[in-house]
Amino acid sequence: MNRRNFMGLSLGALAAGAARAADVPLGRKGVMLMNRIAPSISQLMMANLDGSDERKLLVDTDFEYNGTLSPDGQWLIFTSERRGDGQSDIFRARADGTGIAPVITTDSMDDAAVLSPDGRTLAFVSTRNGYRANIWLQDLFTGRTRQLTGIGDIHGEDLYPDCYFRPAWSPDGQWIAFSSDRNTRWTGHDKGHGWEHTQELSIYVIRPDGTGFRKVASKPGYCLGSPKWSPDGKRIVFYEMTVEATWGARRPNYVGKAPSQIVSVDVNGGDRVEHTTGVDLKLHPQFLSNSEIGYLVKYGPNEGLAYTSDRPALRQAFIRAPNWTPDGKSVIYEKVAFKPVRPLYKPLFSWDKDYDYQHVDVFPLLSRDGWVVFTEKQLGNSSVWIMRPDGSEKRKVFESSGRGLDEKKVQMGLAGAFQPCWSPDGEWIAFGLGYWFNERSKMTAALWRVRRDGTGAEQLTDGSLHSGFPSYSADGKELVFRVWGETEKGLRILNLDTRKIRVLTQGLDNLPGWSPDGKRIVFTRKRDDGNFDIYTIKPDGSGLFRATTHPSSDGHAVWSPDGRIMWSGSQHGFRDEAALYDQTFQQYGQIYVMNADGSNKRLLTDSKWEDSMPLYLSDPS
């Protein structure tokens, strides 16, 4: 490939990015805190096939992933978040890790780029033009960019999953293979009953000019992902697992319960071969030759790189997304980690240019006198802390350990003190203490409160019915909360003077929050059709209103200071193949905002990761 052209590629795209940056207002209204579930470290590494000579690939490394070499072995293409935590852009470097430069920098998510065999065209995934993940092409010599999927006849049904992932060029450059969840349905785990979405994928091919689109591999009830071509261009290899397993594939504690196999098909005849057996979770397959396939084993005792030949496996934890080099002598991969955790107030990329986005732990809430309360979950203790809005004077006001909880569950984040909330006068903090998530079906939780100085801790409900996620009324006299039991579910209101409890709803309702003016309560409801939506209701039980209606799931709604509703939604779909994520639910990946009447819905994030629990630290009007 011509080095001069590649060194100067995408000048038009870079100029457009510079123009957008110049439009950013100098003054900002304030800060928005939010939580992000994603690795805190991701570095590109290279090693020999036996794992020897492992080294960092880039001389100036930041947070990078999905690295691939150009077919001639001269250039590295990779995704980097060096413009900001959560902002995925495409960069390139020389094969020795020097000469790092941007290729595609927009405020959309741009990821998973691969270069055509002739070195001219970049295929990549982008959320530009509608916030859904689609395959795009960029001519590196002219800078011309065009959308390949999600347009014309190449799109799925409206309102349902319709995203396209992991493009791969055929050896002759005449075809691009990819995976897609088009024409599938939004399906929760546990056979549709759960909150987190599973994913069904099929394998497709298309010509770079947009013609010849067709499905080459599919299996009802299964997920087929990460296609790669054989060197002779006759076969496509991919991983295959049940749709249900795409949930367990994100959870390290599901070792052996979410198996997958490496499968290939003849591109023209459909002849199918299963190349592996067993219960390992196998991902990212790639032909090293027409007869040998390398792949990743994720989680478990065999985690690392393995082969369908007699080549020895390389066992190593937390390496991800391997790409074997064109000469077959080396492999590029990511090394990821979740610790050290993202620190409080770490700057994140801000899609709303009026606000500085910053990271915070879970369930943040601001008191009327300007203190933030939150659950410190990411450090593995799930106790209640308070601090100033700038992060100073941080102190613990309630310790969850020593309260009779299973400490192992606490360390796993399945138990502790969740969703603390301020009383209007700022003197009390109420929260739920007990076991959460799936533990609620067999364990208990109760409402508690504590004074802001850490004294006066008292239990407010007797624990006979699983209770949690409280929120104070505007006058401070009542708490709305969620109950969960064999015969009783829904929202309840506790009078703090009389300690009497009244029924507000009897549906599968959760995460209630009283509006700043005290007139309405927002909450998440699981409907009879299995969909989760945002509702509001008056405190007397009248005026039930459904604010979201999309067949995907919406939840974790909170009020902004000006009476709008922010929530986590999934209507724009996954940003990557679900099975490739680590320790994330991802189903509700983006933060949205809307008026209380459901109008003027818009996105506040556009990242690859799971974003939730926003909190404005200043009035967003």
Side-chain angles (χ1 to χ4, degrees):
M1 179 180 181
N2 186 295
R3 174 177 292 184
R4 177 173 297 176
N5 282 326
F6 194 53
M7 290 286 285
L9 56 77
S10 300
L11 295 179
L14 292 177
R20 277 190 298 274
D23 293 335
V24 174
L26 296 177
R28 293 182 184 249
K29 293 181 180 178
V31 170
M32 188 183 84
L33 300 181
M34 55 176 278
N35 185 254
R36 170 164 291 147
I37 300 179
S40 55
I41 297 172
S42 183
Q43 295 180 332
L44 291 177
M45 310 293 290
M46 178 179 273
N48 297 330
L49 297 192
D50 62 1
S52 62
D53 194 25
E54 183 184 65
R55 59 209 181 271
K56 290 182 181 179
L57 196 50
L58 297 171
V59 294
D60 174 24
T61 188
D62 195 282
F63 189 97
E64 278 88 26
Y65 43 93
N66 289 333
T68 63
L69 279 186
S70 59
D72 63 8
Q74 299 300 304
W75 295 97
L76 174 71
I77 310 294
F78 60 96
T79 305
S80 177
E81 295 187 4
R82 58 186 60 215
R83 271 210 309 144
D85 189 321
Q87 178 51 49
S88 304
D89 294 313
I90 307 300
F91 281 71
R92 64 100 174 103
R94 297 184 183 91
D96 63 1
T98 63
I100 299 170
V103 180
I104 299 173
T105 55
T106 72
D107 288 356
S108 301
M109 187 210 77
D110 299 303
D111 185 27
V114 286
L115 196 59
S116 60
D118 64 4
R120 182 182 185 101
T121 307
L122 202 66
F124 61 100
V125 175
S126 180
T127 57
R128 64 187 75 188
N129 191 24
Y131 298 107
R132 285 182 179 267
N134 275 292
I135 308 299
W136 288 69
L137 300 179
Q138 179 161 306
D139 187 308
L140 297 180
F141 293 86
T142 67
R144 179 174 175 262
T145 302
R146 58 189 175 87
Q147 189 171 350
L148 195 59
T149 65
I151 56 173
D153 295 331
I154 308 170
H155 66 82
E157 298 176 69
D158 292 340
L159 302 180
Y160 291 99
D162 185 30
C163 292
Y164 303 78
F165 314 103
R166 298 282 161 175
W169 290 92
S170 63
D172 61 7
Q174 298 301 303
W175 293 92
I176 298 171
F178 54 88
S179 61
S180 176
D181 56 9
R182 67 193 304 268
N183 296 333
T184 63
R185 291 296 181 264
W186 305 104
T187 305
H189 73 88
D190 192 21
K191 299 180 179 179
H193 298 295
W195 158 255
E196 296 83 13
H197 279 163
T198 55
Q199 188 182 54
E200 183 173 353
L201 297 173
S202 298
I203 305 298
Y204 299 82
V205 295
I206 192 173
R207 293 188 184 276
D209 64 2
T211 64
F213 173 69
R214 63 186 175 92
K215 184 187 294 184
V216 297
S218 186
K219 189 175 181 181
Y222 279 75
C223 173
L224 286 57
S226 296
K228 290 286 183 68
W229 297 79
S230 61
D232 60 12
K234 294 181 179 180
R235 302 190 70 81
I236 293 177
V237 67
F238 49 88
Y239 67 80
E240 180 180 278
M241 65 178 66
T242 65
V243 168
E244 183 67 24
T246 63
W247 160 240
R250 293 168 256 165
R251 314 302 297 165
N253 55 316
Y254 275 62
V255 172
K257 299 178 182 178
S260 63
Q261 304 306 333
I262 303 303
V263 179
S264 72
V265 295
D266 184 279
V267 177
N268 296 314
D271 172 57
R272 169 188 165 92
V273 176
E274 289 194 20
H275 298 273
T276 60
T277 59
V279 298
D280 283 333
L281 174 56
K282 299 171 279 288
L283 302 168
H284 289 291
Q286 181 180 330
F287 280 102
L288 276 69
S289 67
N290 291 325
S291 59
E292 182 184 18
I293 299 168
Y295 57 91
L296 172 74
V297 175
K298 184 181 178 184
Y299 304 142
N302 297 320
E303 184 166 27
L305 304 180
Y307 301 89
T308 57
S309 64
D310 57 3
R311 188 187 302 272
L314 169 61
R315 290 191 172 92
Q316 188 175 156
F318 278 99
I319 62 175
R320 297 289 181 264
N323 268 288
W324 284 264
T325 56
D327 61 11
K329 297 179 180 180
S330 304
V331 59
I332 296 168
Y333 50 85
E334 304 157 17
K335 269 196 169 180
V336 301
F338 283 78
K339 291 185 178 181
V341 299
R342 275 179 178 77
L344 291 173
Y345 287 82
K346 180 188 178 184
L348 308 175
F349 187 84
S350 302
W351 287 272
D352 183 342
K353 297 306 181 184
D354 284 340
Y355 283 84
D356 291 314
Y357 290 24
Q358 297 179 6
H359 180 72
V360 72
D361 219 322
V362 296
F363 302 113
L365 194 65
L366 187 67
S367 68
R368 290 182 179 177
D369 63 349
W371 284 74
V372 177
V373 67
F374 63 98
T375 296
E376 193 173 59
K377 181 175 180 287
Q378 66 178 6
L379 295 179
N381 184 259
S382 294
S383 294
V384 178
W385 292 71
I386 65 173
M387 62 186 173
R388 292 284 190 183
D390 63 1
S392 64
E393 299 185 52
K394 178 187 170 191
R395 61 179 183 269
K396 187 187 298 185
V397 298
F398 184 85
E399 170 63 58
S400 65
S401 295
R403 301 285 177 175
L405 300 177
D406 182 331
E407 288 300 316
K408 184 177 180 180
K409 300 288 187 184
V410 172
Q411 295 300 317
M412 293 174 65
L414 300 177
F418 275 22
Q419 189 165 306
C421 63
W422 290 102
S423 62
D425 62 8
E427 291 301 314
W428 289 94
I429 299 167
F431 51 91
L433 179 67
Y435 298 86
W436 312 104
F437 306 111
N438 288 337
E439 302 297 313
R440 68 187 177 187
S441 62
K442 55 183 181 295
M443 307 294 282
T444 188
L447 294 191
W448 282 65
R449 70 174 179 176
V450 67
R451 293 187 183 276
R452 68 184 300 157
D453 63 1
T455 65
E458 64 172 326
Q459 187 170 328
L460 300 175
T461 60
D462 61 15
S464 60
L465 187 62
H466 195 288
S467 304
F469 305 103
S471 177
Y472 270 98
S473 61
D475 60 11
K477 295 181 179 180
E478 295 182 315
L479 283 169
V480 63
F481 62 101
R482 185 274 287 139
V483 298
W484 180 277
E486 286 279 337
T487 59
E488 192 174 350
K489 293 180 177 66
L491 304 183
R492 303 292 183 266
I493 293 180
L494 169 68
N495 185 293
L496 290 168
D497 291 330
T498 66
R499 301 301 169 97
K500 290 184 178 180
I501 296 173
R502 71 177 189 271
V503 175
L504 182 62
T505 73
Q506 298 187 71
L508 290 170
D509 302 330
N510 209 345
L511 300 166
W514 227 303
S515 63
D517 62 9
K519 294 181 178 180
R520 299 195 72 85
I521 294 167
V522 68
F523 62 96
T524 303
R525 167 167 288 184
K526 183 181 180 182
R527 293 165 46 82
D528 292 340
D529 59 7
N531 187 31
F532 292 83
D533 274 309
I534 307 301
Y535 284 75
T536 65
I537 193 171
K538 293 181 179 179
D540 64 3
S542 66
L544 180 67
F545 173 70
R546 183 183 178 188
T548 61
T549 59
H550 197 273
S552 64
S553 290
D554 300 287
H556 284 272
V558 297
W559 295 95
S560 68
D562 64 348
R564 290 184 294 168
I565 295 171
M566 297 185 287
W567 82 100
S568 298
S570 60
Q571 72 176 72
H572 291 98
F574 283 95
R575 303 306 177 88
D576 201 351
E577 295 175 353
L580 306 186
Y581 283 90
D582 281 287
Q583 302 181 33
T584 179
F585 307 117
Q586 177 60 20
Q587 168 263 335
Y588 47 98
Q590 306 304 316
I591 298 175
Y592 298 75
V593 65
M594 63 181 166
N595 296 332
D597 63 3
S599 63
N600 195 28
K601 295 180 175 72
R602 66 183 180 91
L603 277 164
L604 293 178
T605 62
D606 189 12
S607 84
K608 177 172 178 166
W609 311 108
E610 180 182 336
D611 294 334
S612 61
M613 302 186 185
L615 172 67
Y616 280 118
L617 291 185
S618 58
D619 191 279
S621 59

